[in-house]
Amino acid sequence: MAPAAGHRRLGGHPQQWLDACRFVLVSPSLNANIGAAVRAMTTMGLSDLVVAAPRDPDFHADPAVHALAAGAQARVARVGRRDSLEAALADCQLAVAVSAEGREFGPPPEFPGPLCAQVLDELAAGRLARVAFVFGTERTGLSVDEMRRCQRWLTIPADAAYSSLNLAQAVQIVAFSLRQAVLAREQAGAGERAGEAGGEPLASLGAVEGLLQHLERSLTALGTLDPARPRRLMPRLRQLLGRAQPTAPEVDLLRGICRDIDRVTARRGD
């Protein structure tokens, strides 16, 4: 089956798999940590870094960012900026929360090595075109809402007595795990099979978010969802879709069902 529109298969070049991995820093408190993240990623061959909802929109010009980039200053200008986490994830098919702690209705915990190896398998097979690894603010990490926007949860197995990691240290560990997974595939000769079909490509997270918003409107019109007492219906539906990882045609199918609901409820209101 042909890839969905806007979705390209990555082929067998290992650098393409790394280029498809985006690191997203959500509202970092210190601009210096952006520069340190640039350095950490560059050492592992990764370059797609995005800052979501930056506290300082002019972080590119901060001398501390360039100082901590330490030899990778040229990459600072390429760091992306988005107004929200939703915008940073819109063109990705998978978001991985990097957090020491989980959240209600969040995905189950996974360690860096096995998770990164599975992500590389899906990139090589063409199921994914872009995956985001999401890091929260230095002091509080990811919020409940931010965690719910991610379909998988990567936790670094630090000592329980002191599990606090600097933001750039966490970035370095994940970046190393991805590079290690690439090298393991190369050594096993898996790169030769990278172009093989691996099923239908997954829908973008922007498309899934649009589906969730449509579901909320349709279920409200139907009376299933009471905005005054929403309970946990939408978080559970978000969790369900995150676990299911629907393809683009499946999202289209569900949007079609929502449109049918809309037509029925519109007639009721006539």
Side-chain angles (χ1 to χ4, degrees):
M1 179 173 289
H7 196 306
R8 61 183 178 84
R9 293 197 182 277
L10 295 178
H13 197 288
Q15 187 58 49
Q16 289 181 292
W17 306 333
L18 293 176
D19 290 343
C21 296
R22 172 177 297 165
F23 281 36
V24 179
L25 309 183
V26 181
S27 301
S29 301
L30 301 175
N31 285 346
N33 280 333
I34 300 172
V38 169
R39 179 182 183 182
M41 292 174 62
T42 301
T43 62
M44 296 294 120
L46 292 143
S47 60
D48 189 354
L49 177 62
V50 170
V51 180
R55 298 170 190 262
D56 176 11
D58 298 322
F59 65 82
H60 292 96
D62 190 333
V65 175
H66 291 267
L68 269 292
Q73 291 91 337
R75 301 268 181 120
V76 171
R78 295 166 53 186
V79 176
R81 188 182 71 192
R82 302 290 189 277
D83 291 336
S84 65
L85 176 58
E86 182 179 344
L89 301 180
D91 61 339
C92 301
Q93 291 76 43
L94 175 69
V96 179
V98 182
S99 176
E101 299 179 356
R103 300 289 187 270
E104 187 179 21
F105 300 118
E110 300 178 75
F111 291 156
L115 187 153
C116 288
Q118 291 171 19
V119 165
L120 262 293
D121 287 344
E122 295 212 34
L123 285 168
R127 286 266 292 166
L128 298 175
R130 187 167 304 283
V131 57
F133 292 83
V134 184
F135 300 78
T137 60
E138 292 90 331
R139 188 174 65 85
T140 59
L142 293 170
S143 69
V144 172
D145 181 64
E146 290 161 353
M147 194 85 169
R148 285 175 180 169
R149 291 182 182 274
C150 299
Q151 294 72 52
R152 299 181 74 170
W153 167 30
L154 184 156
T155 184
I156 296 169
D159 191 325
Y162 188 73
S163 59
S164 176
L165 281 172
N166 174 271
L167 176 58
Q169 291 174 329
V171 168
Q172 185 74 79
I173 290 171
V174 177
F176 168 74
S177 298
L178 284 167
R179 187 163 190 84
Q180 187 178 44
V182 166
L183 294 174
R185 284 186 64 86
E186 283 189 297
Q187 291 174 358
E192 298 175 1
R193 303 191 300 273
E196 294 178 359
E200 287 184 311
L202 301 182
S204 72
L205 296 182
V208 175
E209 193 62 35
L211 169 61
L212 282 163
Q213 292 171 8
H214 197 166
L215 277 168
E216 185 170 12
R217 293 193 301 272
S218 299
L219 292 173
T220 299
L222 191 62
T224 303
L225 175 63
D226 180 359
R229 300 181 63 191
R231 300 186 185 276
R232 298 177 176 180
L233 177 58
M234 293 312 300
R236 287 189 184 279
L237 285 174
R238 182 180 291 278
Q239 182 186 44
L240 186 155
L241 288 173
R243 188 169 59 247
Q245 293 187 279
T247 63
E250 289 168 343
V251 166
D252 290 341
L253 183 152
L254 292 171
R255 290 295 292 264
I257 293 173
C258 287
R259 285 190 289 272
D260 287 340
I261 293 173
D262 296 341
R263 280 192 288 269
V264 172
T265 54
R267 285 199 296 268
R268 286 181 183 175
D270 294 340

